[in-house]
Amino acid sequence: MGTWEGLVTGLNFALQPGVLIFCLLGVLLGTFVGVLPGIGAMAAISLLLPITYYISAEAALIMLAGVYYGAQYGGAVASILMRLPGTPQSAVTALDGYPMARDGRAGAALFAAMVSSFAGSIIGIVVLVLLAGWLSRVAVAFGAADYAAMMVLGLVAASTIGSARPAKGFAMIVLGMLLGCIGTDVNSGAMRFTFGQTELLDGVNLVALAMGLFGVAEVIGNVRDPERQAVTEKIGFRQMAPTRDDLRRMVFPSLRGSGLGSFFGALPGTGSTLSSFLSYAMERRIARRPERFGHGAIEGVAGPEAANNSAAITAFVPTLTLGIPGDPIMALMLGALVIHGVQPGPMMLEARPEMFWGLVASFGIGNLLLLILNLPLIGVWVALLRIPFRWLYPAILIFICLGVYSVRGLTYDIVAVAGIGLAGYLLALARFNPALLLLGFVLGPLIETNLRRALLISRGDPMVFLERPISAAFVVAIAGLLLLSLVQWVRRRRRAIPAR
């Protein structure tokens, strides 16, 4: 199926009333959780996973994707108005958005964030369409050894790139892979690490793990916070109207941020957070008056917002075409597909074209809905920031318990999600990244399957990973990343030791 034929097929599917409703629900809920600080798209997607059991795989993926990129839009609201990022990606937006709000230009900052986000998303969709077909054709040549090496590279990259504590990242990856080993071995039928618990024969419940790590843990971490500062400013269309100078300053930062985000979003292990910070650094670097940044420069809002939204779209490139999640949220998306019996990878475009192209078309429809709805609904989202958090968190816990119980009907899962939530909170206190645990949990079983298959084909010869050019390239890249991480660790140690 060609690109244009695929897009037409996708539009026909995405414009069906039932699919449109799930797309609208996803983007609205995504904006909602993006506006509220401390919740985030990960927790929202985890809460929605049980619902996906009762709808089609296509509608489920479109809804969950809407939550993901909708949260990018909503995250800017709290950053600009309260200097409380609704999502990690929008933290950099507060650097200039909040000063603009204090100068009485909150409306212009919100307008810049919304329009730049839309522009970044559209450019990201174009990149996704152009790259997806090419990557899927290349990936058809991949064997089991290539897939195993590529997935290991994704895990190593996620734990080392941009991380100040790569050892802790590795620890979370390994712990996640160990949790993925729990259950019945599909090859031998042996029970692994079940400790006599029949509830663990099918492995650790992905929904309980995700809800515990990113729902319960977030509630525990925020429940003792002092009350947020109330937002009293009223914002309407008149306050959001930008000046001609604002429009002129927005154009090129939005384009540069979109290009930067599209590139880094398609790379496993980088994500939209890195893209937004790099965009801000680049805009400040090339600005004629860099001293304006940090004091209300609209370029510092437009560039990062375009970058994180374009990265959110292109993050689906490795997830759908190679089966490699680009970030932890994509790992959760991958888990949702596996739950529905869908195997992402190079054959997905051939086996499930309506799912792939329907998702691509829904990106455009969903972002258009976000732009149309969010501009008039800014007042509503601002009003949400006045809800006391002592009322909000109990409701979230109730939904978590209902959601995890609905999957298998076991009270064991409710106890498990509470224990996982406490463990996730303690890990966060110790400065471990629980998101990497989920990444290892999802990719671990896939790595094991392809590793076994590769060794079976090669009759147990591990040199198969160096004899194949593709897997050998991945092994060299893994070694390079590990060596780079070691060099950076040695340099930090030397700087930490005072000169005698």
Side-chain angles (χ1 to χ4, degrees):
M1 183 180 291
T3 301
W4 291 111
E5 185 182 353
L7 286 174
V8 172
T9 301
L11 278 173
N12 290 333
F13 178 80
L15 288 173
Q16 295 177 15
V19 178
L20 274 177
I21 291 173
F22 283 110
C23 181
L24 178 62
L25 176 64
V27 297
L28 285 177
L29 185 60
T31 307
F32 173 79
V33 299
V35 167
L36 296 175
I39 299 179
M42 182 70 81
I45 293 173
S46 302
L47 284 168
L48 287 175
L49 272 182
I51 299 176
T52 64
Y53 282 93
Y54 307 102
I55 59 179
S56 67
E58 293 83 2
L61 186 60
I62 286 173
M63 179 178 67
L64 296 179
V67 173
Y68 179 42
Y69 58 81
Q72 312 296 321
Y73 277 74
V77 177
S79 290
I80 291 171
L81 297 179
M82 298 172 62
R83 206 171 191 173
L84 292 172
T87 60
Q89 296 88 345
S90 59
V92 69
T93 307
L95 298 178
D96 281 284
Y98 185 68
M100 287 182 69
R102 295 191 64 181
D103 291 340
R105 304 187 63 231
L110 289 169
F111 178 86
M114 297 296 173
V115 174
S116 299
S117 297
F118 179 75
S121 298
I122 296 303
I123 292 176
I125 292 170
V126 173
V127 173
L128 172 62
V129 170
L130 294 177
L131 282 183
W134 176 77
L135 271 179
S136 64
R137 287 192 295 270
V138 171
V140 169
F142 280 30
D146 306 321
Y147 273 113
M150 181 176 60
M151 292 177 189
V152 172
L153 175 61
L155 291 181
V156 172
S159 58
T160 56
I161 294 178
S163 174
R165 295 176 291 272
K168 290 188 173 182
F170 279 124
M172 287 292 93
I173 292 287
V174 172
L175 180 58
M177 295 177 72
L178 289 175
L179 289 176
C181 291
I182 294 175
T184 305
D185 183 9
V186 294
N187 291 319
S188 65
M191 293 181 289
R192 304 186 300 188
F193 309 113
T194 58
F195 303 102
Q197 299 290 321
T198 57
E199 293 86 355
L200 291 176
L201 290 179
D202 292 330
V204 176
N205 188 348
L206 173 65
V207 176
L209 183 66
M211 284 187 173
L213 288 177
F214 305 104
V216 177
E218 287 293 335
V219 171
I220 297 174
N222 289 285
V223 73
R224 296 185 64 186
D225 280 1
E227 285 294 322
R228 271 42 171 191
Q229 179 183 354
V231 176
T232 57
E233 185 176 357
K234 292 184 177 180
I235 299 174
F237 279 112
R238 185 172 299 177
Q239 290 79 16
M240 294 185 68
T243 63
R244 183 174 298 178
D245 185 58
D246 287 338
L247 291 173
R248 180 180 60 83
R249 292 179 181 275
M250 285 169 50
V251 175
F252 289 106
S254 296
L255 294 175
R256 286 190 291 265
S258 300
L260 198 68
S262 297
F263 174 75
F264 281 100
L267 299 178
T270 53
S272 52
T273 303
L274 177 64
S275 302
S276 60
F277 277 91
L278 288 178
S279 173
Y280 186 85
M282 181 174 66
E283 293 304 322
R284 185 170 184 172
R285 177 82 175 177
I286 65 177
R288 293 181 179 178
R289 295 173 55 201
E291 66 276 5
R292 293 174 50 249
F293 284 77
H295 301 282
I298 199 168
E299 300 96 319
V301 175
E305 281 299 307
N308 71 45
N309 279 271
S310 60
I313 298 297
T314 56
F316 283 88
V317 172
T319 304
L320 296 179
T321 61
L322 301 176
I324 304 298
D327 59 29
I329 296 182
M330 288 297 105
L332 202 55
M333 295 281 190
L334 190 67
L337 288 175
V338 173
I339 285 173
H340 283 272
V342 179
Q343 181 60 52
M347 298 308 296
M348 184 177 174
L349 272 72
E350 300 297 329
R352 304 294 291 268
E354 72 286 345
M355 172 180 284
F356 178 83
W357 291 110
L359 179 65
V360 172
S362 76
F363 288 155
I365 296 170
N367 278 280
L368 185 60
L369 288 173
L370 280 168
L371 186 66
I372 295 172
L373 293 174
N374 277 334
L375 290 177
L377 287 178
I378 282 294
V380 177
W381 304 131
V382 171
L384 286 174
L385 296 175
R386 302 190 182 101
I387 298 176
F389 277 68
R390 63 179 181 272
W391 298 348
L392 189 63
Y393 289 135
I396 293 174
L397 288 176
I398 291 172
F399 282 119
I400 287 174
C401 292
L402 291 174
V404 75
Y405 183 79
S406 68
V407 176
R408 299 194 297 179
L410 298 175
T411 54
Y412 179 90
D413 289 338
I414 297 178
V415 177
V417 80
I420 293 169
L422 179 60
Y425 172 65
L426 295 176
L427 287 172
L429 283 182
R431 297 187 178 181
F432 287 92
N433 185 357
L436 294 177
L437 188 152
L438 182 69
L439 199 61
F441 177 79
V442 173
L443 284 185
L446 297 176
I447 291 174
E448 181 187 8
T449 300
N450 284 283
L451 177 63
R452 282 182 165 186
R453 189 176 298 158
L455 292 176
L456 184 64
I457 294 172
S458 66
R459 297 183 179 181
D461 184 8
M463 291 302 293
V464 66
F465 293 97
L466 296 178
E467 292 170 354
R468 292 181 59 87
I470 299 176
S471 59
F474 288 135
V475 170
V476 170
I478 292 168
L481 282 176
L482 292 175
L483 182 62
L484 178 62
S485 178
L486 180 62
V487 169
Q488 290 175 341
W489 178 80
V490 171
R491 287 179 177 175
R492 283 196 298 269
R493 293 278 294 181
R494 286 181 175 177
R495 285 196 296 264
I497 299 175
R500 294 181 179 177

